[in-house]
Amino acid sequence: MSKNTVSDRFRRVDVDEYDENKFVDEEDGGENQLGPDEAEVDSLIRQGNLMEALQAVLKNPPINTKNQNVKERAEGLVLKVLSSFKSSDIEKGVQSLDKNGVDLLMKYIYKGFERPSENSSAVLLQWHEKALSAGGVGCIVRVLTARKTV
Amino acid sequence: MAYHSFLLEPISCHAWNKDRTQIALCPNNHDVYIYKKDGTKWNKIHELKEHNGQVTGIDWAPDSDRIVTCGADRNAYVWTQKEGVWKPTLVILRINRAARCVKWSPRENKFAVGSGSRLISVCYFEQENDWWVCKHIKKPIRSTILSLDWHPNNVLLAAGSCDFKCRVFSAYIKEVEEKPGPTSWGSKMPFGEMLFESSEAGGGGWVHGVCFSHSGNRLTWTSHDSSVAVAEGGKTCTISSLRSDNLPLLCVTFITENSIVAAGHDCYPVLFVYDGAKGSLTYGGKLDVPKQAAAKGISARERFQNLDRRASTTQTSEQTIDTLHKNSISQLSVLEGGRSKCSKFCTTGMDGGMAIWDVKTLESAMKDLKIA
């Protein structure tokens, strides 16, 4: 009758972990994904070649890796490139990307929205508007449905 | 393009009889209503009440005139008409989650039910016991089956699932049919064998709709990541996919061997063209009634009102959509011409309406539209 009702540790048990039919995503071997090349992107920004910097920073996206540091570094780098663009050049930048590039850019934009810093959201919103006109809502749907993202 | 609004409730699913004079549909409740065409009106002639949960799938076998329904109450019923009254026969599906979709096989001697129990129940009639029995296809399905379609050979079954994959299984039942000959998808077809599985880099989305072409050599499916794909069976099984700029498509069908019509959350059907030689899938165009562009001017008062309400002075209020359907289209069915030369198809949606589309009229209305 006198059960111990003080401890509530049982409430923190994640019962889904013990479900034998739990859906587990396929492993895709992302250990070698290192994200975009920091040195290359930095030098392109310093040279003022922003179009090339955009192409470079969208290479090797750390999609499959579980290493959070790699992902954060990649996101920071992308944000640096996006902030260096002049507002009037953003549209040209988006036009230079192919369909996969626009999808990837949108993934980085939404990742950037998750952790706003002083001016990041304003810049990201400008990029978001241009990327939306290029990729349509389908592009945003793919950000939402992606199982493995940046 | 004829549009008829049945009720205010969404139409969960629908099925037509053989001569397209009657339609069976579920108005988002536990029942199935059968409407009969009377000139331009539709009159409700039957109410099929047996399910205890929402009816999620209806299929009407054209030749044997039997209706199979499946519902969220984990049951399926086969309805036969005796003296003008539809009588149900329970089918034990042995599932412990809701049934989601049901399809008669081309020869109407069996039907398949997809469910949330992560399996497909293939049901056939056992003469000795006078009872419908079922066999399960389980491996390697890992989530709910959302859509099914039979291959013309009556054995192969395509299934779209929430585990992001579209697969082709063999549903060969030795009790009711002969061993099938080889097809482009494979030659060994024991029951439950998986002959094809789509692989989408990055996961993809839930597969909402699947459809075999008339020949059975091509398979198309739509996915929740706003993409549509076509696979051609053969030694080198090629998959061509297209990521669209629009909202996800929920249903899809072939209207010729090269043209695909799909519809979904954007509330209008869309055409895609597949080029087998190049292995490419391209967007063909939006199929909808063209609306006259409103060219009236905007008064100063309206301009300030718009500025006040929406911080913009443009006139177009994007609240009203100018498509025929006013809400998502959830099901597409071919009415005339089959999947090789479809001349009419029908869409039903969440707005409770049904639209019948004429392919010839669409072709002439939309310029640059080529349906090959």
Side-chain angles (χ1 to χ4, degrees):
Chain A
M1 182 62 201
S2 54
K3 272 216 160 53
N4 179 12
T5 51
V6 172
S7 164
D8 65 351
R9 257 198 0 224
F10 69 92
R11 294 188 191 280
R12 284 168 234 283
V13 171
D14 180 9
V15 287
D16 287 330
E17 288 295 316
Y18 302 103
D19 180 7
E20 57 209 20
N21 289 317
K22 183 170 158 70
F23 184 85
V24 178
D25 279 290
E26 288 160 14
E27 298 293 318
D28 241 357
E31 286 75 28
N32 294 326
Q33 283 189 335
L34 297 166
D37 188 353
E38 203 159 346
E40 184 189 347
V41 174
D42 277 337
S43 74
L44 284 167
I45 297 180
R46 264 180 278 122
Q47 286 165 24
N49 192 347
L50 294 176
M51 292 295 181
E52 284 295 319
L54 183 62
Q55 300 285 346
V57 84
L58 290 178
K59 279 198 259 195
N60 290 335
I63 289 186
N64 290 326
T65 180
K66 292 209 187 81
N67 188 339
Q68 286 306 317
N69 289 332
V70 175
K71 295 199 181 209
E72 273 173 42
R73 236 180 327 120
E75 177 61 35
L77 209 55
V78 171
L79 206 47
K80 203 156 54 157
V81 173
L82 297 186
S83 315
S84 347
F85 266 76
K86 275 207 301 275
S87 301
S88 41
D89 289 337
I90 294 181
E91 185 157 3
K92 262 202 299 189
V94 171
Q95 305 289 2
S96 73
L97 298 173
D98 63 350
K99 234 175 181 296
N100 286 341
V102 175
D103 282 350
L104 186 56
L105 176 65
M106 198 55 110
K107 288 203 173 104
Y108 276 120
I109 291 175
Y110 274 91
K111 184 89 199 284
F113 282 143
E114 284 173 34
R115 304 256 194 86
S117 57
E118 316 95 49
N119 214 19
S120 68
S121 289
V123 164
L124 287 174
L125 275 171
Q126 287 179 313
W127 278 92
H128 183 276
E129 187 194 345
K130 300 296 180 223
L132 179 59
S133 49
V137 279
C139 176
I140 299 182
V141 171
R142 277 184 282 284
V143 173
L144 298 173
T145 56
R147 294 294 289 178
K148 299 188 181 125
T149 182
V150 287
Chain B
M1 252 61 73
Y3 180 81
H4 184 264
S5 180
F6 278 101
L7 294 155
L8 289 174
E9 290 81 11
I11 296 180
S12 315
C13 46
H14 76 267
W16 290 89
N17 70 344
K18 183 170 188 177
D19 55 10
R20 313 311 192 197
T21 52
Q22 293 183 32
I23 182 172
L25 53 86
C26 169
N28 205 39
N29 59 12
H30 301 338
D31 307 323
V32 174
Y33 296 165
I34 299 186
Y35 285 82
K36 190 177 171 130
K37 196 167 164 70
D38 177 22
T40 49
K41 286 196 280 116
W42 291 87
N43 301 321
K44 182 165 29 160
I45 53 170
H46 289 117
E47 267 185 40
L48 276 45
K49 289 177 178 301
E50 196 73 21
H51 278 283
N52 276 326
Q54 194 205 35
V55 180
T56 50
I58 307 179
D59 201 16
W60 200 322
D63 297 317
S64 51
D65 204 35
R66 288 176 294 180
I67 297 178
V68 63
T69 59
C70 72
D73 58 354
R74 315 188 300 278
N75 288 333
Y77 292 95
V78 174
W79 302 79
T80 38
Q81 207 172 16
K82 284 189 185 45
E83 289 140 25
V85 179
W86 286 96
K87 292 247 185 294
T89 307
L90 174 68
V91 178
I92 305 285
L93 297 172
R94 296 185 283 130
I95 55 179
N96 53 14
R97 293 288 185 278
R100 282 295 257 110
C101 49
V102 63
K103 274 276 167 73
W104 281 109
S105 70
R107 263 179 248 148
E108 298 168 23
N109 48 8
K110 42 184 187 174
F111 60 87
V113 180
S115 66
S117 300
R118 294 180 303 272
L119 51 83
I120 304 172
S121 302
V122 181
C123 310
Y124 59 99
F125 195 68
E126 208 172 63
Q127 279 298 124
E128 310 97 63
N129 298 326
D130 195 26
W131 194 233
W132 287 90
V133 294
C134 75
K135 283 197 173 154
H136 285 167
I137 299 177
K138 267 184 116 91
K139 293 203 196 319
I141 302 170
R142 292 163 69 208
S143 191
T144 306
I145 297 286
L146 288 178
S147 51
L148 292 167
D149 192 41
W150 287 90
H151 186 282
N153 75 353
N154 209 60
V155 171
L156 297 181
L157 185 61
S161 168
C162 278
D163 61 2
F164 323 118
K165 302 224 181 286
C166 172
R167 300 182 177 92
V168 174
F169 290 101
S170 160
Y172 167 63
I173 306 272
K174 61 183 192 306
E175 284 88 343
V176 299
E177 57 198 344
E178 303 289 307
K179 231 186 176 157
T183 67
S184 56
W185 298 97
S187 37
K188 288 232 178 294
M189 290 176 257
F191 180 83
E193 177 89 358
M194 185 177 78
L195 291 100
F196 168 76
E197 189 184 63
S198 71
S199 53
E200 182 64 49
W206 305 320
V207 178
H208 285 294
V210 293
C211 184
F212 271 112
S213 68
H214 176 78
S215 64
N217 292 327
R218 293 183 181 164
L219 176 65
T220 181
W221 65 93
T222 55
S223 180
H224 201 69
D225 64 351
S226 296
S227 67
V228 60
V230 175
E232 239 177 317
K235 286 223 182 61
T236 49
C237 186
T238 43
I239 301 182
S240 328
S241 68
L242 177 67
R243 293 171 168 184
S244 84
D245 289 347
N246 307 102
L247 293 176
L249 297 157
L250 293 174
C251 44
V252 65
T253 184
F254 274 94
I255 54 168
T256 68
E257 196 70 15
N258 297 318
S259 305
I260 293 161
V261 166
H265 291 295
D266 272 315
C267 319
Y268 53 78
V270 169
L271 176 73
F272 292 99
V273 181
Y274 177 68
D275 185 329
K278 282 190 267 176
S280 68
L281 192 56
T282 44
Y283 178 69
K286 168 179 166 175
L287 306 172
D288 201 14
V289 278
K291 278 272 160 28
Q292 289 84 4
K296 34 189 194 35
I298 177 168
S299 71
R301 183 160 186 267
E302 273 174 59
R303 218 181 268 276
F304 280 112
Q305 263 184 342
N306 283 337
L307 194 60
D308 199 26
R309 280 195 210 123
R310 273 180 273 116
S312 92
T313 47
T314 50
Q315 177 191 20
T316 48
S317 68
E318 266 143 60
Q319 260 89 57
T320 54
I321 50 173
D322 55 359
T323 53
L324 192 57
H325 274 282
K326 299 302 176 199
N327 207 327
S328 310
I329 295 175
S330 52
Q331 194 176 341
L332 253 175
S333 55
V334 166
L335 289 180
E336 274 171 37
R339 291 182 192 167
S340 54
K341 252 199 129 13
C342 172
S343 52
K344 276 207 176 93
F345 61 88
C346 159
T347 51
T348 56
M350 314 238 209
D351 56 355
M354 172 206 51
I356 299 185
W357 306 80
D358 185 292
V359 172
K360 280 279 166 308
T361 316
L362 285 169
E363 246 182 319
S364 51
M366 324 262 148
K367 55 185 175 83
D368 300 335
L369 196 72
K370 279 270 149 36
I371 301 182

